Amino acid sequence: MTAGPDPARRLKETLMSLLPFFKSREPQTSAINPEIEALLRDYSIEVMPRTAEKVENFRDLLPAGTRVYIAHIDGTPIDDMVATARRLAHDGYKVMPHFPARIIKDRATLADWIARYQGEAGVDQALLLAGGVAQPQGDFDSSMQLMESGLFRDFKRLHVAGHPEGNRDIDHDGSDTNVMAALRWKQRFSDTSDAQMAMATQFAFEAGPIIAWADALRDAGITIPIHIGIAGPAKLQTLIKFAIACGVGPSLKVLQKRAMDVTKLLLPYEPTEVVTQLAAHKAANPDFNITHVHFFPLGGIKTNAQWAIDNGGASALPASQI
C-alpha cells in the first residue's frame, strides 16, 4: 500500500500556491515620484469622531498643518464634533467641520454650532453641504442657504461639494442641470466673498473622466479650485460598499473589474494608479484646476496616512518626524 503525501509537505505546497494572492509587506524601496509628491502637497483628509478616537497621536501620521475635515453624520452629537475639533486644533491641524444643511434644525442651532467651534477650537473654515438625508429636518435645504445666512461671515475659508460623476439626489434624471446651476451660484458667491473657496469632491476611480469633468467646469466659467476626492487604501469589499452607498457613478466599473480578477481579489485597493495619472496631468498642465487631493480614509486613517507617507515624500512627512 502506497503512503499518501506528507501532510506537512501538502501544507507547504498549498501556502506557496497562495503567495501570489497576498501583497508583500516588505518595505518599499522605489524612488518617490516627484509628480505625486507635488500633487500630495497640503493634502487633506476626512475623519469622524469615532474614527478619530482610534488614533493615538495624529502627529505620528499627518503632516503639520494638514487640513482635517470632520464629517458630521446624522445623529452625531455636537459635543463629540467639537471635542474632536478641539483635539485636532490643539495638535496644530486646520480643522474643517462639515455643516450638513438638512440636519440643522434652525438658525439658532447653526449659530450655536458656529459659536462653539469658534470659541472652543478656533475654527474659521467649514465645508458646507446639503447633507446625506433625503428630507430636511429643519429650516435648511442646501449649502446655498447656509451661505446666505450670513453666519459664516467671519470664516476665512468655505468649501462646497463637487460631484465628478453627477449626483442623482440633485439631478434625478441623470443630467447635471441642477448641479451646474448651483455651481454657478457658488461661483458668484466666491467672486463677491472675502472667504477663500474650494470644491471638495466625491471620490472616483478613473482619472480620464475626472480630468474631463474638471476641464468642463473651467470651460463653463467655474474657477473655484478643486480638491479632488480620492478613496484611500481599503479592502475591495469595503470600497464597493461605500462606493455604492455614496452614489459613485461609472468609475465603479474599475472596482467591479478588479473584483473579477482573482489575482487582485484578495489584495487591498490602493489609489496609486488614479493619483499617478492625475499627478502626471497636473505636471503637464500646471493651470489644471485640480489643486489638491482630499482623502476619504475608507480603510482606516492609519492605512491612508501610511500610503501617503510611502508615496508622498516630503509632502507627507508626519509632524512628529520634523
Side-chain angles (χ1 to χ4, degrees):
M1 183 175 180
T2 304
D6 176 56
R9 180 181 176 185
R10 278 193 320 212
L11 177 60
K12 181 179 179 181
E13 291 174 347
T14 299
L15 290 174
M16 290 298 291
S17 71
L18 288 174
L19 283 178
F21 296 104
F22 294 92
K23 186 177 182 180
S24 170
R25 300 308 299 168
E26 294 179 3
Q28 296 189 10
T29 57
S30 57
I32 296 297
N33 181 331
E35 295 174 349
I36 294 179
E37 182 175 0
L39 186 63
L40 291 187
R41 189 169 296 119
D42 296 327
Y43 77 79
S44 59
I45 194 167
E46 188 162 304
V47 306
M48 294 181 287
R50 62 180 178 81
T51 58
E53 287 177 354
K54 300 176 183 178
V55 177
E56 182 176 347
N57 188 349
F58 277 96
R59 291 178 56 81
D60 290 338
L61 301 175
L62 303 179
T66 298
R67 178 171 293 108
V68 183
Y69 293 61
I70 308 178
H72 197 152
I73 307 302
D74 189 21
T76 304
I78 187 61
D79 288 349
D80 293 352
M81 294 289 297
V82 174
T84 304
R86 186 168 57 244
R87 174 193 172 188
L88 287 163
H90 179 267
D91 286 346
Y93 293 106
K94 301 171 185 174
V95 182
M96 178 170 274
H98 288 197
F99 285 84
R102 295 180 182 178
I103 71 169
I104 299 173
K105 180 180 178 181
D106 50 31
R107 182 182 175 87
T109 299
L110 176 59
D112 177 65
W113 288 11
I114 291 173
R116 291 194 60 183
Y117 278 126
Q118 289 179 321
E120 298 182 41
V123 169
D124 60 4
Q125 48 190 295
L127 172 66
L128 310 182
L129 66 169
V133 296
Q135 297 297 324
Q137 299 176 9
D139 296 341
F140 300 106
D141 179 62
S142 71
S143 61
M144 292 176 286
Q145 291 176 331
L146 297 180
M147 285 185 269
E148 286 179 321
S149 73
L151 294 174
F152 292 94
R153 58 184 170 272
D154 294 332
F155 277 52
K156 295 179 180 178
R157 178 173 283 276
L158 296 175
H159 287 190
V160 293
H163 307 279
E165 298 184 298
N167 187 328
R168 284 191 173 271
D169 289 339
I170 300 173
D171 286 294
H172 303 295
D173 60 0
S175 70
D176 64 356
T177 303
N178 295 327
V179 166
M180 288 303 297
L183 285 179
R184 291 187 184 97
W185 188 98
K186 293 167 185 175
Q187 181 65 54
R188 291 192 295 271
F189 183 90
S190 177
D191 292 341
T192 58
S193 170
D194 291 333
Q196 293 179 285
M197 290 191 67
M199 189 186 313
T201 81
Q202 181 57 274
F203 55 88
F205 302 101
E206 277 190 298
I210 290 172
I211 293 168
W213 170 78
D215 287 346
L217 289 190
R218 178 203 59 208
D219 294 343
I222 307 299
T223 60
I224 298 172
I226 298 169
H227 294 201
I228 192 66
I230 296 292
K235 293 180 180 178
L236 191 58
Q237 306 95 307
T238 300
L239 208 57
I240 291 174
K241 179 185 72 174
F242 276 107
I244 293 173
C246 294
V248 171
S251 71
L252 181 60
K253 68 178 182 289
V254 172
L255 301 185
Q256 294 168 331
K257 181 179 179 181
R258 184 184 180 93
M260 291 187 289
D261 185 342
V262 69
T263 66
K264 297 179 179 178
L265 183 59
L266 300 180
L267 299 178
Y269 165 87
E270 293 188 349
T272 309
E273 182 175 348
V274 63
V275 171
T276 299
Q277 293 173 1
L278 289 172
H281 186 80
K282 179 69 174 180
N285 303 272
D287 293 336
F288 184 48
N289 52 353
I290 288 180
T291 61
H292 293 76
V293 167
H294 173 61
F295 283 115
F296 292 85
L298 303 180
I301 298 168
K302 294 179 182 178
T303 300
N304 200 142
Q306 188 60 55
W307 182 90
I309 292 167
D310 291 342
N311 292 273
S315 292
L317 192 66
S320 63
Q321 295 184 21
I322 297 177

